[in-house]
Coordinates of all heavy atoms in Angstrom, one line a residue:
V1 N -51.3 -54.8 -65.5 CA -49.9 -54.6 -65.8 C -49.4 -55.9 -66.6 O -48.7 -55.7 -67.6 CB -49.0 -54.5 -64.5 CG1 -47.5 -54.6 -64.9 CG2 -49.3 -53.1 -63.9
Q2 N -49.8 -57.0 -66.2 CA -49.4 -58.3 -66.9 C -49.9 -58.2 -68.4 O -49.1 -58.5 -69.3 CB -50.1 -59.5 -66.2 CG -49.7 -60.8 -66.9 CD -50.7 -61.9 -66.4 OE1 -51.8 -61.9 -66.7 NE2 -50.1 -62.9 -65.7
R3 N -51.1 -57.8 -68.6 CA -51.6 -57.8 -70.0 C -50.8 -56.8 -70.8 O -50.5 -57.0 -72.0 CB -53.1 -57.3 -70.0 CG -54.1 -58.4 -69.7 CD -55.5 -58.0 -69.9 NE -55.8 -57.7 -71.3 CZ -56.1 -58.6 -72.2 NH1 -56.3 -59.9 -71.8 NH2 -56.4 -58.3 -73.4
R4 N -50.4 -55.7 -70.2 CA -49.7 -54.6 -70.9 C -48.3 -55.2 -71.4 O -47.9 -55.0 -72.5 CB -49.5 -53.4 -70.0 CG -48.9 -52.2 -70.7 CD -48.8 -51.1 -69.7 NE -50.1 -50.6 -69.3 CZ -50.9 -49.8 -70.0 NH1 -50.5 -49.4 -71.2 NH2 -52.1 -49.4 -69.5
V5 N -47.6 -55.9 -70.5 CA -46.3 -56.5 -70.9 C -46.5 -57.6 -71.9 O -45.7 -57.7 -72.9 CB -45.6 -57.0 -69.6 CG1 -44.3 -57.7 -70.0 CG2 -45.3 -55.8 -68.7
L6 N -47.5 -58.5 -71.7 CA -47.7 -59.6 -72.6 C -48.0 -59.1 -74.0 O -47.6 -59.7 -75.0 CB -48.8 -60.5 -72.1 CG -48.4 -61.4 -70.8 CD1 -49.6 -62.2 -70.4 CD2 -47.2 -62.2 -71.1
R7 N -48.8 -58.1 -74.1 CA -49.1 -57.5 -75.4 C -47.9 -57.1 -76.2 O -47.7 -57.4 -77.4 CB -50.1 -56.3 -75.3 CG -51.5 -56.7 -75.0 CD -52.5 -55.6 -75.4 NE -52.1 -54.3 -74.8 CZ -52.4 -53.8 -73.6 NH1 -53.1 -54.6 -72.8 NH2 -52.0 -52.7 -73.2
H8 N -46.9 -56.5 -75.5 CA -45.7 -56.1 -76.1 C -44.8 -57.4 -76.5 O -44.2 -57.5 -77.6 CB -44.9 -55.2 -75.2 CG -45.4 -53.8 -75.2 ND1 -45.3 -53.0 -76.3 CD2 -46.0 -53.1 -74.2 CE1 -45.9 -51.8 -76.0 NE2 -46.3 -51.9 -74.7
L9 N -44.8 -58.4 -75.6 CA -44.1 -59.6 -75.9 C -44.7 -60.4 -77.1 O -43.9 -61.0 -77.8 CB -44.0 -60.5 -74.6 CG -43.0 -60.0 -73.5 CD1 -43.3 -60.8 -72.3 CD2 -41.6 -60.2 -74.0
L10 N -46.0 -60.3 -77.2 CA -46.6 -61.1 -78.3 C -46.8 -60.2 -79.5 O -47.4 -60.7 -80.5 CB -48.0 -61.5 -77.8 CG -48.0 -62.5 -76.6 CD1 -49.4 -62.7 -76.1 CD2 -47.3 -63.8 -76.9
G11 N -46.4 -59.0 -79.5 CA -46.5 -58.1 -80.7 C -47.9 -57.7 -81.0 O -48.3 -57.5 -82.2
L12 N -48.7 -57.6 -80.0 CA -50.1 -57.2 -80.2 C -50.3 -55.7 -79.9 O -49.5 -55.1 -79.1 CB -51.0 -58.0 -79.2 CG -51.0 -59.5 -79.4 CD1 -51.9 -60.2 -78.4 CD2 -51.4 -59.9 -80.9
G13 N -51.3 -55.1 -80.4 CA -51.6 -53.6 -80.2 C -52.3 -53.4 -78.9 O -52.6 -54.3 -78.1
E14 N -52.6 -52.1 -78.7 CA -53.3 -51.7 -77.4 C -54.6 -52.3 -77.4 O -55.3 -52.4 -78.4 CB -53.3 -50.2 -77.4 CG -53.8 -49.6 -76.1 CD -52.8 -49.6 -75.0 OE1 -51.7 -49.0 -75.3 OE2 -53.0 -50.1 -73.9
D15 N -55.1 -52.7 -76.1 CA -56.5 -53.1 -75.9 C -57.4 -51.9 -76.2 O -57.1 -50.8 -75.9 CB -56.7 -53.5 -74.5 CG -56.3 -55.0 -74.3 OD1 -56.2 -55.7 -75.2 OD2 -56.1 -55.3 -73.1
T16 N -58.5 -52.1 -76.9 CA -59.5 -51.1 -77.2 C -60.8 -51.5 -76.7 O -61.2 -52.7 -76.7 CB -59.5 -50.7 -78.7 OG1 -59.9 -51.9 -79.4 CG2 -58.2 -50.2 -79.2
V17 N -61.6 -50.6 -76.3 CA -63.0 -50.8 -75.9 C -63.9 -50.3 -77.0 O -64.0 -49.1 -77.2 CB -63.3 -50.2 -74.6 CG1 -64.8 -50.4 -74.1 CG2 -62.4 -50.6 -73.5
Q18 N -64.6 -51.2 -77.7 CA -65.5 -50.8 -78.8 C -66.8 -50.3 -78.2 O -67.5 -51.1 -77.6 CB -65.7 -51.9 -79.8 CG -64.4 -52.5 -80.4 CD -63.7 -51.4 -81.3 OE1 -64.3 -50.6 -81.9 NE2 -62.4 -51.5 -81.4
T19 N -67.2 -49.1 -78.4 CA -68.4 -48.6 -77.8 C -69.4 -48.2 -78.9 O -70.6 -47.9 -78.6 CB -68.1 -47.4 -76.9 OG1 -67.4 -46.4 -77.7 CG2 -67.3 -47.8 -75.7
G20 N -69.0 -48.0 -80.2 CA -70.0 -47.6 -81.2 C -70.0 -46.1 -81.4 O -69.3 -45.3 -80.7
A21 N -70.9 -45.6 -82.3 CA -71.0 -44.2 -82.6 C -71.6 -43.4 -81.5 O -71.1 -42.3 -81.2 CB -71.8 -44.0 -83.9
A22 N -72.6 -43.9 -80.8 CA -73.2 -43.1 -79.7 C -72.8 -43.7 -78.4 O -72.5 -44.9 -78.3 CB -74.8 -43.2 -79.9
P23 N -72.8 -42.9 -77.3 CA -72.5 -43.4 -76.0 C -73.4 -44.6 -75.6 O -74.6 -44.6 -75.9 CB -72.7 -42.2 -75.1 CG -72.5 -41.0 -76.0 CD -73.1 -41.4 -77.3
V24 N -72.9 -45.5 -74.9 CA -73.6 -46.7 -74.5 C -73.4 -47.0 -73.0 O -72.6 -46.4 -72.4 CB -73.1 -48.0 -75.3 CG1 -73.5 -47.8 -76.8 CG2 -71.6 -48.2 -75.1
I25 N -74.2 -48.0 -72.5 CA -74.0 -48.5 -71.2 C -73.2 -49.8 -71.4 O -73.6 -50.8 -72.1 CB -75.3 -48.9 -70.5 CG1 -76.1 -47.6 -70.3 CG2 -75.1 -49.6 -69.2 CD1 -77.6 -47.9 -69.8
L26 N -71.9 -49.8 -71.0 CA -71.0 -50.9 -71.3 C -71.2 -52.0 -70.2 O -71.3 -51.7 -69.0 CB -69.6 -50.4 -71.2 CG -68.5 -51.2 -71.9 CD1 -68.8 -51.3 -73.4 CD2 -67.1 -50.7 -71.6
L27 N -71.2 -53.2 -70.7 CA -71.3 -54.4 -69.8 C -70.1 -55.3 -70.1 O -69.7 -55.5 -71.2 CB -72.6 -55.2 -70.2 CG -73.9 -54.4 -70.3 CD1 -75.1 -55.4 -70.6 CD2 -74.2 -53.7 -68.9
A28 N -69.5 -55.8 -69.0 CA -68.3 -56.5 -69.1 C -68.1 -57.4 -67.9 O -68.7 -57.2 -66.8 CB -67.1 -55.6 -69.2
P29 N -67.3 -58.5 -68.1 CA -66.9 -59.3 -66.9 C -66.3 -58.4 -65.8 O -66.6 -58.5 -64.6 CB -65.9 -60.3 -67.5 CG -66.3 -60.4 -68.9 CD -66.7 -59.0 -69.3
D30 N -65.3 -57.6 -66.2 CA -64.7 -56.6 -65.4 C -64.0 -55.6 -66.3 O -63.8 -55.9 -67.5 CB -63.7 -57.3 -64.5 CG -63.3 -56.5 -63.2 OD1 -63.9 -55.3 -63.1 OD2 -62.6 -56.9 -62.4
L31 N -63.6 -54.5 -65.8 CA -62.8 -53.5 -66.6 C -61.5 -53.2 -65.8 O -61.5 -53.2 -64.6 CB -63.6 -52.2 -66.8 CG -64.8 -52.3 -67.7 CD1 -65.6 -51.0 -67.6 CD2 -64.4 -52.5 -69.1
T32 N -60.4 -53.1 -66.5 CA -59.2 -52.7 -65.9 C -59.1 -51.2 -65.7 O -59.9 -50.4 -66.4 CB -58.0 -53.1 -66.8 OG1 -58.0 -52.4 -68.0 CG2 -58.1 -54.6 -67.1
P33 N -58.3 -50.7 -64.8 CA -58.1 -49.2 -64.7 C -57.7 -48.6 -66.1 O -58.1 -47.5 -66.4 CB -57.0 -49.1 -63.7 CG -57.1 -50.3 -62.8 CD -57.5 -51.4 -63.8
S34 N -56.9 -49.3 -66.9 CA -56.5 -48.8 -68.2 C -57.7 -48.7 -69.1 O -57.8 -47.7 -69.8 CB -55.4 -49.7 -68.8 OG -54.2 -49.7 -68.0
D35 N -58.5 -49.7 -69.1 CA -59.7 -49.6 -69.9 C -60.5 -48.4 -69.6 O -61.0 -47.6 -70.4 CB -60.7 -50.9 -69.7 CG -60.1 -52.1 -70.2 OD1 -59.3 -52.1 -71.2 OD2 -60.5 -53.2 -69.7
T36 N -60.8 -48.2 -68.3 CA -61.7 -47.1 -67.8 C -61.1 -45.8 -68.1 O -61.8 -44.8 -68.5 CB -61.9 -47.3 -66.3 OG1 -62.3 -48.7 -66.0 CG2 -63.1 -46.4 -65.9
A37 N -59.8 -45.6 -67.9 CA -59.1 -44.3 -68.1 C -59.2 -43.9 -69.6 O -59.1 -42.7 -69.9 CB -57.7 -44.4 -67.7
R38 N -59.3 -44.8 -70.5 CA -59.4 -44.5 -71.9 C -60.8 -44.1 -72.3 O -61.0 -43.6 -73.5 CB -58.9 -45.7 -72.8 CG -57.4 -45.8 -72.9 CD -57.0 -46.8 -74.0 NE -57.4 -48.2 -73.6 CZ -56.6 -49.0 -73.0 NH1 -55.4 -48.6 -72.7 NH2 -57.0 -50.2 -72.7
L39 N -61.8 -44.3 -71.5 CA -63.2 -44.0 -71.8 C -63.5 -42.6 -71.3 O -62.8 -41.9 -70.6 CB -64.1 -45.1 -71.1 CG -63.8 -46.5 -71.6 CD1 -64.6 -47.5 -70.6 CD2 -64.3 -46.7 -73.0
G40 N -64.7 -42.2 -71.7 CA -65.2 -40.9 -71.3 C -66.6 -40.7 -71.6 O -67.3 -41.5 -72.2
P41 N -67.2 -39.6 -71.1 CA -68.7 -39.3 -71.4 C -69.1 -39.3 -72.8 O -70.2 -39.5 -73.2 CB -68.9 -38.0 -70.7 CG -67.8 -37.8 -69.7 CD -66.6 -38.5 -70.3
D42 N -68.1 -39.0 -73.7 CA -68.4 -39.0 -75.2 C -68.6 -40.4 -75.8 O -69.2 -40.5 -76.8 CB -67.3 -38.2 -75.9 CG -65.9 -38.8 -75.7 OD1 -65.7 -39.4 -74.6 OD2 -65.1 -38.6 -76.6
T43 N -68.1 -41.4 -75.1 CA -68.2 -42.8 -75.6 C -69.1 -43.6 -74.7 O -69.5 -44.7 -75.1 CB -66.9 -43.4 -75.7 OG1 -66.2 -43.4 -74.5 CG2 -66.0 -42.7 -76.8
L44 N -69.3 -43.2 -73.4 CA -69.8 -44.1 -72.4 C -70.9 -43.3 -71.6 O -70.6 -42.2 -71.1 CB -68.7 -44.6 -71.5 CG -68.9 -45.9 -70.8 CD1 -69.1 -47.0 -71.9 CD2 -67.7 -46.3 -70.0
L45 N -72.0 -43.9 -71.3 CA -73.0 -43.4 -70.4 C -72.7 -43.9 -69.0 O -73.0 -43.2 -68.0 CB -74.4 -43.8 -70.8 CG -74.9 -43.3 -72.2 CD1 -76.2 -44.0 -72.5 CD2 -75.1 -41.8 -72.1
G46 N -72.2 -45.1 -68.9 CA -71.9 -45.7 -67.6 C -71.6 -47.2 -67.9 O -71.5 -47.6 -69.0
F47 N -71.3 -48.0 -66.8 CA -71.0 -49.4 -67.0 C -71.4 -50.2 -65.9 O -71.6 -49.8 -64.7 CB -69.5 -49.6 -67.3 CG -68.6 -49.3 -66.2 CD1 -68.3 -50.2 -65.2 CD2 -67.8 -48.1 -66.2 CE1 -67.4 -49.9 -64.1 CE2 -67.0 -47.8 -65.2 CZ -66.8 -48.7 -64.1

C-alpha cells in the first residue's frame, strides 16, 4: 500500500514485472500481492 501511494505522490507509473516473451521462473527478494496478481501462467511458470 505504501509503494502505491508513494508512486502517485512522486508522479511515477505502475510497478511492472518484466518477464520476457516466454514464461519464466521469476526470482525476487520478495513479491507483493499486487505484483503477483498482475502475473499469470502466460507470463510466469512459477517463482
Side-chain angles (χ1 to χ4, degrees):
V1 171
Q2 181 196 63
R3 283 188 63 85
R4 191 177 292 281
V5 176
L6 290 178
R7 286 199 309 272
H8 284 291
L9 283 169
L10 298 173
L12 301 176
E14 189 78 53
D15 277 342
T16 58
V17 180
Q18 301 295 331
T19 56
V24 295
I25 297 173
L26 199 67
L27 309 180
D30 202 357
L31 289 172
T32 68
S34 296
D35 288 335
T36 313
R38 283 191 290 267
L39 300 169
D42 54 335
T43 58
L44 208 59
L45 296 172
F47 66 81

